[in-house]
Amino acid sequence: MNSSASSGPKPKVMPLPGSDLSKKEQVAGMFDRIAGRYDFLNHFLSMGIDRGWRKKAINTLRPIQPKKILDVATGTGDLAIAALRLNPDKVTGVDISEGMMEIGRKKLADKHLDGIINLQYGDSEALPFSDNAFDAITCAYGVRNFEHLEKGLQQMNRVLRSGGRIAILEFSKPKTFPVKQLYQFYFRYILPALGKTVSKDATAYTYLPESVAAFPEGAQFCTILEQCGYKNVKARPLTFGITTLYTAEKG
C-alpha cells in the first residue's frame, strides 16, 4: 500500500505468522485446505447475504454489456456463475488455489456451465492474458489476499479494455452503533470458532478478521485504485458497511 494513501504502513497480515513461505503460498495452501467446506461456510457465516452482494456487484456491469469477463480470485466460481446474468460470451476465472478451483469445476460441470466458464490457474500479479483482453473484471473478497495489492490492481487494469469496468467486493468494518460492536464480537469470537469447527482449520478464520482489519478500506482503497490507473472510482457500503462494493473504469 502506498504511504500516501494511509497514515502509516500497516504490518502485513499472514495466515501463518513465522512461516518461511510467502503470503501467496500461505494463502493458496490455506484455501486448498478448506476448499471442501468453503461454499457451505461462505453462505452459512454470512447467513446467505453474500448472494445478494454478488448480485449487486454484477448489476453494476450491466450498462456496458460485457462479453468477455474475468473473475480474479474466483475460488469455487460463485461470482463467475453470477456473471452469467449479463449474457456474456465467455467468463474466465483465475485463482492460485487449485483445490478451490477443483470444487468450482465440479460445480460448473454439474450445472452444465463448463462450456461458457473456464477456471484456470492465474496469479493476480502476473495475469496470463494480453492487454485490453476483457470488457469487465470482477473480484469478490480476494484483493485483501494479494501479496502486493497495487501490483495486482495494475495487472487487472492492464488486461481491461479502455472504458471497461471493474467490480470489487471486499469486507469492511461497520462504523455505527450497535452494528459496529456486534460485528466486532462476531468477527473476533464467533466466526473463528465456527470456522475452525466446520473447516477443521484454525488458521483460515483467524486470518480472516485480521486481514479485514488491516485492509485499506473505503476512501483509502479508492485512492489506491486511482493511483493504479482507474477513474470514476466509487465505494458503496452494503449491509451496514459489513462489505463494500468498489466500482471503477479504466482510465
Side-chain angles (χ1 to χ4, degrees), residues 168-187:
I168 295 174
L169 285 166
E170 193 51 83
F171 288 115
S172 48
K173 300 179 286 294
K175 305 296 191 292
T176 59
F177 177 87
V179 179
K180 175 182 178 180
Q181 286 73 19
L182 291 170
Y183 171 89
Q184 289 176 339
F185 182 80
Y186 179 75
F187 242 47

Side-chain angles (χ1 to χ4, degrees), residues 11 19 35 245 247:
S19 171
L245 169 57
T247 56

Side-chain angles (χ1 to χ4, degrees), residues 63-145:
I64 67 167
Q65 299 182 327
K67 293 304 178 185
K68 294 182 179 179
I69 301 173
L70 174 65
D71 185 37
V72 175
T74 194
T76 62
D78 276 350
L79 191 56
I81 293 172
L84 296 182
R85 298 167 58 89
L86 302 175
N87 297 313
D89 293 334
K90 187 74 175 179
V91 179
T92 302
V94 295
D95 206 288
I96 58 173
S97 170
E98 289 289 353
M100 292 283 279
M101 288 190 292
E102 181 180 351
I103 300 295
R105 291 183 187 113
K106 291 177 181 176
K107 189 191 307 184
L108 294 176
D110 289 343
K111 295 176 180 290
H112 306 290
L113 298 174
D114 43 348
I116 190 170
I117 300 176
N118 176 57
L119 305 186
Q120 65 182 76
Y121 179 88
D123 181 354
S124 64
E125 296 178 22
L127 291 172
F129 308 108
S130 60
D131 296 357
N132 311 306
F134 297 95
D135 302 309
I137 299 179
T138 59
C139 184
Y141 310 103
V143 292
R144 77 177 190 287
N145 296 324

Side-chain angles (χ1 to χ4, degrees), residues 36-57:
R37 304 299 290 165
Y38 179 82
D39 280 345
F40 168 77
L41 279 166
N42 207 25
H43 304 319
F44 176 72
L45 294 174
S46 72
M47 295 173 284
I49 302 173
D50 60 304
R51 294 182 175 90
W53 294 338
R54 285 192 292 274
K55 182 178 178 180
K56 285 181 170 65

